[in-house]
Amino acid sequence: MNDSFAKSVRKDFALLINNPDIAYLDSAATTHRPDCVLKAIENFYKESNANPLRGLYELSVKATDCYEQARDKVRAFINADSCEEIVFTGNTTGSMNLLGYSLGEYLLNEGDEVLITIMEHHSNILPWQHAVRRKNAVLKYIECDSEGKLDIDAFKAMLSDKTKIVSVCGISNVLGCLNDIKTLAKAAHEKGAVFVCDGAQMVPHMPVDVKDLDVDFLAFSGHKMCAPMGIGVLYGKAELLDKMPPFMTGGEMIEYVTRFDATYAELPHKFEAGTVNASGAVGLRAAIEYYEEVGFDNIVEQEAVLGRYAFEQLKDIPHLNLLGAHDADSHHGIFTFTIDDVHPHDIAAIMDSDKVCVRAGHHCAQPLMQFMNTQSTARVSLAFYNTFEEIDRMAESIKNIRPRMGFR
């Protein structure tokens, strides 16, 4: 793999073609969309626009078919058993809030425990904070080492008969480390706990099989894998989803309503109140098909090659402090760093003046920042459409930051 691969796919991304001077290195925040995704959304509105699930006329049936075909594409993509197990949400945050409320209502009682890790995104912290507060339960954290590795024995030791829910990210959005989800889920199940995986950074970058991992729930966002913003997925085992109360109520998620009571629709519609984001689902289907056309194995390999190259460029830059593992492959294309005496916001601003786009801040992971004894960092994150030339530009920009700030 080399830049010829990136060039072969970059032609599919209008923003990249129209802005050749920009080196976009913030794909962990959101990816760009290929033309086929944009076209699929446009075609839906031009050819199939109606309110899905609500009309018996032909156009509404066509819109419903588009929406449900997207659901089936997602089901196959993550190897779920049935479309009942695929709930469309707004994003990973929406999925986790649904779980925090509905799963929390179903499972948690006073004194019960929810176990998460210190490296979680706020979207996998705040919903559980609210859940345990509401149910008078307990939230516990397992810490990682400086490279982001979890001690499996320590994790198992924290599990108890009181542990009802375990929720862990597949890949950290700060450290890039991959957690051993299959082993963690097995340990949680042995204690009778339900296991939730935040797959926001994992699903776009490696094949995920929910049956092989044996997770009870998996959440991810379309916009981090070349699909539109505003469409997310919550996979859940049907037997658990069926027992959970709905998160939002209103149109379409009901079977029958009286003045004082209601019965709810069958899965997955019980969790999809109101007019659904049909165009977003269509765009997500197109993005998955694009991954399949390019070849997911090719994407994974290209991102690994780019990650190794970026790591080699970054690791020896004077005054740069790279958080996390000391080997490239453990970062999964995410490189978070500080530079001595320079605020991360200044790092990002200076790099922006060089037309290099990177993230700066706490990355919605303040407990991890506190654990790492820092308040904020800069972050480079890669996708398969990046090039070696962009990584070279990034490294050159970083090397010039301290001199441009007046340091020798």
Side-chain angles (χ1 to χ4, degrees):
M1 291 287 182
N2 51 44
D3 269 358
S4 64
F5 177 86
K7 289 173 183 175
S8 72
V9 296
R10 283 173 78 87
K11 62 178 174 50
D12 300 327
F13 294 82
L15 190 144
L16 299 177
I17 294 299
N18 295 333
N19 298 274
D21 58 330
I22 291 177
Y24 183 79
L25 302 175
D26 193 24
S27 288
T30 196
T31 53
H32 293 306
R33 283 94 206 158
D35 294 338
C36 62
V37 170
L38 303 179
K39 191 68 173 178
I41 298 167
E42 180 184 16
N43 286 345
F44 173 80
Y45 283 120
K46 282 184 174 180
E47 301 171 5
S48 308
N49 182 51
N51 205 320
L53 310 168
R54 300 195 178 203
L56 298 178
Y57 53 91
E58 184 177 352
L59 195 59
S60 180
V61 172
K62 187 177 181 181
T64 301
D65 287 344
C66 290
Y67 186 64
E68 295 302 334
Q69 286 165 8
R71 194 191 308 276
D72 190 55
K73 174 60 72 171
V74 173
R75 179 207 60 75
F77 184 62
I78 60 172
N79 197 32
D81 273 328
S82 74
C83 287
E84 288 184 342
E85 299 182 321
I86 305 299
V87 178
F88 284 127
T89 64
N91 40 45
T92 307
T93 299
S95 297
M96 298 309 300
N97 274 270
L98 189 162
L99 288 175
Y101 178 80
S102 297
L103 186 62
E105 281 296 305
Y106 167 57
L107 279 183
L108 294 179
N109 292 295
E110 183 174 353
D112 287 340
E113 297 175 355
V114 177
L115 178 60
I116 63 177
T117 79
I118 197 67
M119 71 180 77
E120 301 306 318
H121 189 282
H122 293 166
S123 295
N124 198 22
I125 297 177
L126 271 66
W128 303 120
Q129 288 182 352
H130 281 270
V132 298
R133 191 177 300 121
R134 193 172 65 249
K135 305 295 284 189
N136 200 22
V138 179
L139 182 62
K140 289 189 170 183
Y141 289 83
I142 181 167
E143 297 178 350
C144 58
D145 64 18
S146 61
E147 296 189 26
K149 294 178 182 177
L150 296 175
D151 185 324
I152 299 297
D153 290 334
F155 171 81
K156 291 179 178 179
M158 290 192 71
L159 295 168
S160 73
D161 293 338
K162 293 182 178 180
T163 309
K164 302 302 180 187
I165 300 169
V166 178
S167 192
V168 178
C169 60
I171 291 178
S172 165
N173 72 309
V174 174
L175 303 175
C177 53
L178 174 67
N179 288 314
D180 187 351
I181 295 300
K182 188 172 183 177
T183 297
L184 297 175
K186 183 175 185 292
H189 290 154
E190 287 173 351
K191 281 294 184 179
V194 166
F195 191 88
V196 178
C197 177
D198 173 356
Q201 299 295 341
M202 180 173 69
V203 173
H205 301 288
M206 62 185 60
V208 171
D209 182 329
V210 293
K211 284 191 281 194
D212 178 61
L213 294 176
D214 196 24
V215 294
D216 298 297
F217 297 93
L218 172 76
F220 63 97
S221 295
H223 75 96
K224 295 183 189 294
M225 54 175 294
C226 298
M229 295 180 183
I231 187 71
V233 173
L234 174 64
Y235 157 80
K237 290 181 178 176
E239 61 268 26
L240 288 169
L241 287 173
D242 195 49
K243 294 173 182 176
M244 291 159 48
F247 176 45
M248 294 177 62
T249 55
E252 204 50 55
M253 52 74 63
I254 53 85
E255 181 182 69
Y256 191 75
V257 177
T258 67
R259 290 190 182 208
F260 302 108
D261 203 0
T263 55
Y264 302 118
E266 295 182 351
L267 296 176
H269 303 293
K270 181 174 77 169
F271 295 104
E272 294 180 1
T275 297
V276 297
N277 182 6
S279 65
V282 167
L284 177 56
R285 176 187 176 183
I288 294 172
E289 290 172 345
Y290 181 74
Y291 270 54
E292 292 171 343
E293 179 184 344
V294 174
F296 210 166
D297 290 344
N298 293 334
I299 289 172
V300 171
E301 183 181 350
Q302 177 69 2
E303 290 181 343
V305 171
L306 289 168
R308 292 175 196 130
Y309 187 75
F311 182 80
E312 289 302 314
Q313 294 290 309
L314 290 168
K315 69 182 181 65
D316 294 325
I317 295 178
H319 300 285
L320 185 145
N321 310 295
L322 189 62
L323 275 66
H326 302 299
D327 66 286
D329 288 344
S330 296
H331 283 267
H332 297 92
I334 294 175
F335 303 96
T336 303
F337 61 93
T338 60
I339 295 175
D340 293 340
D341 306 313
V342 183
H343 194 281
H345 289 175
D346 292 326
I347 295 173
I350 292 171
M351 294 183 74
D352 181 53
S353 71
D354 294 332
K355 301 293 186 181
V356 179
C357 306
V358 302
R359 198 77 161 181
H362 54 63
H363 313 292
C364 297
Q366 286 180 296
L368 179 61
M369 294 287 111
Q370 295 157 7
F371 179 71
M372 294 286 183
N373 295 313
T374 187
Q375 291 186 331
S376 61
T377 64
R379 184 187 70 188
V380 167
S381 54
L382 306 173
F384 60 93
Y385 46 63
N386 287 125
T387 66
F388 295 110
E389 186 271 337
E390 288 178 318
I391 294 170
D392 289 339
R393 286 177 56 192
M394 170 210 57
E396 191 62 25
S397 180
I398 291 173
K399 290 174 184 176
N400 289 323
I401 286 175
R402 276 177 56 89
R404 289 166 72 174
M405 292 287 289
F407 296 103
R408 295 184 181 275

